[in-house]
PDB file of all heavy atoms in Angstrom:
ATOM      1  N   THR A 342     117.598  35.728  98.417  1.00 74.00           N
ATOM      2  CA  THR A 342     118.287  36.026  99.640  1.00 74.00           C
ATOM      3  C   THR A 342     117.405  35.786 100.864  1.00 74.00           C
ATOM      4  O   THR A 342     117.800  35.142 101.857  1.00 74.00           O
ATOM      5  CB  THR A 342     118.798  37.475  99.657  1.00 74.00           C
ATOM      6  OG1 THR A 342     119.624  37.679  98.506  1.00 74.00           O
ATOM      7  CG2 THR A 342     119.578  37.800 100.928  1.00 74.00           C
ATOM      8  N   PHE A 343     116.165  36.299 100.814  1.00 68.00           N
ATOM      9  CA  PHE A 343     115.295  36.264 101.990  1.00 68.00           C
ATOM     10  C   PHE A 343     114.172  35.221 101.880  1.00 68.00           C
ATOM     11  O   PHE A 343     113.344  35.106 102.796  1.00 68.00           O
ATOM     12  CB  PHE A 343     114.684  37.629 102.260  1.00 68.00           C
ATOM     13  CG  PHE A 343     115.724  38.703 102.451  1.00 68.00           C
ATOM     14  CD1 PHE A 343     116.033  39.615 101.458  1.00 68.00           C
ATOM     15  CD2 PHE A 343     116.431  38.784 103.659  1.00 68.00           C
ATOM     16  CE1 PHE A 343     116.985  40.590 101.641  1.00 68.00           C
ATOM     17  CE2 PHE A 343     117.396  39.766 103.823  1.00 68.00           C
ATOM     18  CZ  PHE A 343     117.682  40.664 102.835  1.00 68.00           C
ATOM     19  N   GLY A 344     114.043  34.596 100.753  1.00 67.00           N
ATOM     20  CA  GLY A 344     112.964  33.632 100.566  1.00 67.00           C
ATOM     21  C   GLY A 344     111.678  34.240 100.069  1.00 67.00           C
ATOM     22  O   GLY A 344     110.759  33.519  99.681  1.00 67.00           O
ATOM     23  N   VAL A 345     111.576  35.520 100.103  1.00 69.00           N
ATOM     24  CA  VAL A 345     110.392  36.221  99.614  1.00 69.00           C
ATOM     25  C   VAL A 345     110.822  37.536  99.004  1.00 69.00           C
ATOM     26  O   VAL A 345     111.779  38.164  99.512  1.00 69.00           O
ATOM     27  CB  VAL A 345     109.336  36.468 100.758  1.00 69.00           C
ATOM     28  CG1 VAL A 345     109.926  37.342 101.838  1.00 69.00           C
ATOM     29  CG2 VAL A 345     108.063  37.069 100.179  1.00 69.00           C
ATOM     30  N   GLY A 346     110.159  37.919  97.898  1.00 72.00           N
ATOM     31  CA  GLY A 346     110.546  39.158  97.239  1.00 72.00           C
ATOM     32  C   GLY A 346     110.045  40.387  97.977  1.00 72.00           C
ATOM     33  O   GLY A 346     108.834  40.606  98.050  1.00 72.00           O
ATOM     34  N   VAL A 347     110.968  41.166  98.535  1.00 78.00           N
ATOM     35  CA  VAL A 347     110.582  42.363  99.310  1.00 78.00           C
ATOM     36  C   VAL A 347     111.480  43.525  98.882  1.00 78.00           C
ATOM     37  O   VAL A 347     112.708  43.345  98.753  1.00 78.00           O
ATOM     38  CB  VAL A 347     110.715  42.127 100.834  1.00 78.00           C
ATOM     39  CG1 VAL A 347     110.372  43.402 101.599  1.00 78.00           C
ATOM     40  CG2 VAL A 347     109.827  41.006 101.270  1.00 78.00           C
ATOM     41  N   LEU A 348     110.872  44.703  98.624  1.00 83.00           N
ATOM     42  CA  LEU A 348     111.615  45.924  98.292  1.00 83.00           C
ATOM     43  C   LEU A 348     111.183  47.022  99.220  1.00 83.00           C
ATOM     44  O   LEU A 348     110.006  47.104  99.632  1.00 83.00           O
ATOM     45  CB  LEU A 348     111.362  46.335  96.846  1.00 83.00           C
ATOM     46  CG  LEU A 348     111.910  45.402  95.728  1.00 83.00           C
ATOM     47  CD1 LEU A 348     111.533  45.964  94.363  1.00 83.00           C
ATOM     48  CD2 LEU A 348     113.418  45.255  95.838  1.00 83.00           C
ATOM     49  N   SER A 349     112.116  47.910  99.564  1.00 87.00           N
ATOM     50  CA  SER A 349     111.783  49.100 100.371  1.00 87.00           C
ATOM     51  C   SER A 349     111.480  50.267  99.470  1.00 87.00           C
ATOM     52  O   SER A 349     111.733  50.251  98.236  1.00 87.00           O
ATOM     53  CB  SER A 349     112.980  49.433 101.269  1.00 87.00           C
ATOM     54  OG  SER A 349     114.092  49.796 100.478  1.00 87.00           O
ATOM     55  N   ALA A 350     110.902  51.334 100.060  1.00 88.00           N
ATOM     56  CA  ALA A 350     110.581  52.522  99.286  1.00 88.00           C
ATOM     57  C   ALA A 350     111.825  53.150  98.657  1.00 88.00           C
ATOM     58  O   ALA A 350     111.807  53.547  97.479  1.00 88.00           O
ATOM     59  CB  ALA A 350     109.848  53.559 100.183  1.00 88.00           C
ATOM     60  N   PRO A 351     112.992  53.275  99.402  1.00 90.00           N
ATOM     61  CA  PRO A 351     114.162  53.822  98.736  1.00 90.00           C
ATOM     62  C   PRO A 351     114.653  52.996  97.588  1.00 90.00           C
ATOM     63  O   PRO A 351     115.101  53.485  96.541  1.00 90.00           O
ATOM     64  CB  PRO A 351     115.204  53.884  99.861  1.00 90.00           C
ATOM     65  CG  PRO A 351     114.365  53.998 101.087  1.00 90.00           C
ATOM     66  CD  PRO A 351     113.172  53.170 100.860  1.00 90.00           C
ATOM     67  N   GLU A 352     114.567  51.629  97.763  1.00 89.00           N
ATOM     68  CA  GLU A 352     114.985  50.775  96.668  1.00 89.00           C
ATOM     69  C   GLU A 352     114.086  50.960  95.440  1.00 89.00           C
ATOM     70  O   GLU A 352     114.528  50.982  94.311  1.00 89.00           O
ATOM     71  CB  GLU A 352     114.987  49.318  97.122  1.00 89.00           C
ATOM     72  CG  GLU A 352     116.077  48.976  98.112  1.00 89.00           C
ATOM     73  CD  GLU A 352     115.968  47.572  98.643  1.00 89.00           C
ATOM     74  OE1 GLU A 352     114.796  47.108  98.830  1.00 89.00           O
ATOM     75  OE2 GLU A 352     117.013  46.951  98.848  1.00 89.00           O
ATOM     76  N   LEU A 353     112.812  51.120  95.694  1.00 87.00           N
ATOM     77  CA  LEU A 353     111.873  51.324  94.595  1.00 87.00           C
ATOM     78  C   LEU A 353     112.151  52.644  93.888  1.00 87.00           C
ATOM     79  O   LEU A 353     112.103  52.723  92.662  1.00 87.00           O
ATOM     80  CB  LEU A 353     110.435  51.291  95.143  1.00 87.00           C
ATOM     81  CG  LEU A 353     109.301  51.108  94.143  1.00 87.00           C
ATOM     82  CD1 LEU A 353     109.455  49.765  93.415  1.00 87.00           C
ATOM     83  CD2 LEU A 353     107.937  51.181  94.820  1.00 87.00           C
ATOM     84  N   ARG A 354     112.554  53.644  94.694  1.00 90.00           N
ATOM     85  CA  ARG A 354     112.866  54.940  94.103  1.00 90.00           C
ATOM     86  C   ARG A 354     114.130  54.850  93.246  1.00 90.00           C
ATOM     87  O   ARG A 354     114.229  55.465  92.181  1.00 90.00           O
ATOM     88  CB  ARG A 354     113.041  55.956  95.208  1.00 90.00           C
ATOM     89  CG  ARG A 354     113.339  57.358  94.770  1.00 90.00           C
ATOM     90  CD  ARG A 354     112.112  58.063  94.140  1.00 90.00           C
ATOM     91  NE  ARG A 354     112.125  57.922  92.688  1.00 90.00           N
ATOM     92  CZ  ARG A 354     111.135  58.256  91.883  1.00 90.00           C
ATOM     93  NH1 ARG A 354     109.994  58.737  92.425  1.00 90.00           N
ATOM     94  NH2 ARG A 354     111.194  58.145  90.600  1.00 90.00           N
ATOM     95  N   ARG A 355     115.176  54.055  93.757  1.00 90.00           N
ATOM     96  CA  ARG A 355     116.390  53.919  92.988  1.00 90.00           C
ATOM     97  C   ARG A 355     116.162  53.172  91.678  1.00 90.00           C
ATOM     98  O   ARG A 355     116.723  53.540  90.627  1.00 90.00           O
ATOM     99  CB  ARG A 355     117.442  53.114  93.808  1.00 90.00           C
ATOM    100  CG  ARG A 355     118.157  53.949  94.833  1.00 90.00           C
ATOM    101  CD  ARG A 355     119.419  53.252  95.310  1.00 90.00           C
ATOM    102  NE  ARG A 355     119.140  51.892  95.783  1.00 90.00           N
ATOM    103  CZ  ARG A 355     118.798  51.610  97.036  1.00 90.00           C
ATOM    104  NH1 ARG A 355     118.683  52.582  97.919  1.00 90.00           N
ATOM    105  NH2 ARG A 355     118.584  50.345  97.394  1.00 90.00           N
ATOM    106  N   LEU A 356     115.255  52.227  91.681  1.00 88.00           N
ATOM    107  CA  LEU A 356     114.948  51.508  90.449  1.00 88.00           C
ATOM    108  C   LEU A 356     114.290  52.442  89.430  1.00 88.00           C
ATOM    109  O   LEU A 356     114.563  52.339  88.217  1.00 88.00           O
ATOM    110  CB  LEU A 356     114.014  50.320  90.716  1.00 88.00           C
ATOM    111  CG  LEU A 356     114.622  49.172  91.519  1.00 88.00           C
ATOM    112  CD1 LEU A 356     113.565  48.131  91.846  1.00 88.00           C
ATOM    113  CD2 LEU A 356     115.769  48.546  90.743  1.00 88.00           C
ATOM    114  N   ALA A 357     113.466  53.373  89.895  1.00 88.00           N
ATOM    115  CA  ALA A 357     112.839  54.323  88.981  1.00 88.00           C
ATOM    116  C   ALA A 357     113.839  55.324  88.460  1.00 88.00           C
ATOM    117  O   ALA A 357     113.823  55.730  87.298  1.00 88.00           O
ATOM    118  CB  ALA A 357     111.689  55.040  89.667  1.00 88.00           C
ATOM    119  N   ASP A 358     114.812  55.765  89.326  1.00 89.00           N
ATOM    120  CA  ASP A 358     115.771  56.791  88.929  1.00 89.00           C
ATOM    121  C   ASP A 358     116.938  56.218  88.103  1.00 89.00           C
ATOM    122  O   ASP A 358     117.802  56.958  87.639  1.00 89.00           O
ATOM    123  CB  ASP A 358     116.363  57.476  90.164  1.00 89.00           C
ATOM    124  CG  ASP A 358     115.299  58.300  90.903  1.00 89.00           C
ATOM    125  OD1 ASP A 358     114.259  58.605  90.236  1.00 89.00           O
ATOM    126  OD2 ASP A 358     115.503  58.624  92.070  1.00 89.00           O
ATOM    127  N   ALA A 359     116.979  54.908  87.929  1.00 87.00           N
ATOM    128  CA  ALA A 359     118.090  54.297  87.199  1.00 87.00           C
ATOM    129  C   ALA A 359     118.107  54.646  85.739  1.00 87.00           C
ATOM    130  O   ALA A 359     119.108  54.443  85.058  1.00 87.00           O
ATOM    131  CB  ALA A 359     118.040  52.753  87.374  1.00 87.00           C
ATOM    132  N   ASP A 360     117.003  55.164  85.212  1.00 85.00           N
ATOM    133  CA  ASP A 360     116.896  55.473  83.764  1.00 85.00           C
ATOM    134  C   ASP A 360     116.239  56.827  83.634  1.00 85.00           C
ATOM    135  O   ASP A 360     115.199  57.096  84.252  1.00 85.00           O
ATOM    136  CB  ASP A 360     116.101  54.362  83.075  1.00 85.00           C
ATOM    137  CG  ASP A 360     116.078  54.545  81.576  1.00 85.00           C
ATOM    138  OD1 ASP A 360     116.482  55.622  81.072  1.00 85.00           O
ATOM    139  OD2 ASP A 360     115.625  53.597  80.870  1.00 85.00           O
ATOM    140  N   PRO A 361     116.787  57.741  82.815  1.00 85.00           N
ATOM    141  CA  PRO A 361     116.136  59.044  82.628  1.00 85.00           C
ATOM    142  C   PRO A 361     114.691  58.923  82.116  1.00 85.00           C
ATOM    143  O   PRO A 361     113.849  59.773  82.389  1.00 85.00           O
ATOM    144  CB  PRO A 361     117.005  59.738  81.578  1.00 85.00           C
ATOM    145  CG  PRO A 361     118.363  59.097  81.721  1.00 85.00           C
ATOM    146  CD  PRO A 361     118.091  57.648  82.090  1.00 85.00           C
ATOM    147  N   GLN A 362     114.371  57.841  81.397  1.00 81.00           N
ATOM    148  CA  GLN A 362     113.039  57.664  80.886  1.00 81.00           C
ATOM    149  C   GLN A 362     112.018  57.423  82.006  1.00 81.00           C
ATOM    150  O   GLN A 362     110.847  57.790  81.879  1.00 81.00           O
ATOM    151  CB  GLN A 362     113.011  56.470  79.925  1.00 81.00           C
ATOM    152  CG  GLN A 362     111.644  56.224  79.276  1.00 81.00           C
ATOM    153  CD  GLN A 362     111.631  54.980  78.405  1.00 81.00           C
ATOM    154  OE1 GLN A 362     112.622  54.250  78.338  1.00 81.00           O
ATOM    155  NE2 GLN A 362     110.521  54.747  77.742  1.00 81.00           N
ATOM    156  N   THR A 363     112.489  56.825  83.120  1.00 86.00           N
ATOM    157  CA  THR A 363     111.559  56.456  84.197  1.00 86.00           C
ATOM    158  C   THR A 363     111.739  57.315  85.438  1.00 86.00           C
ATOM    159  O   THR A 363     111.128  57.045  86.485  1.00 86.00           O
ATOM    160  CB  THR A 363     111.733  54.975  84.544  1.00 86.00           C
ATOM    161  OG1 THR A 363     113.087  54.758  84.987  1.00 86.00           O
ATOM    162  CG2 THR A 363     111.453  54.095  83.338  1.00 86.00           C
TER     163      THR A 363
END
Side-chain angles (χ1 to χ4, degrees):
T342 303
F343 302 104
V345 62
V347 178
L348 293 178
S349 64
E352 290 175 325
L353 196 62
R354 182 71 266 172
R355 279 197 307 272
L356 291 175
D358 292 342
D360 186 347
Q362 181 185 4
T363 60

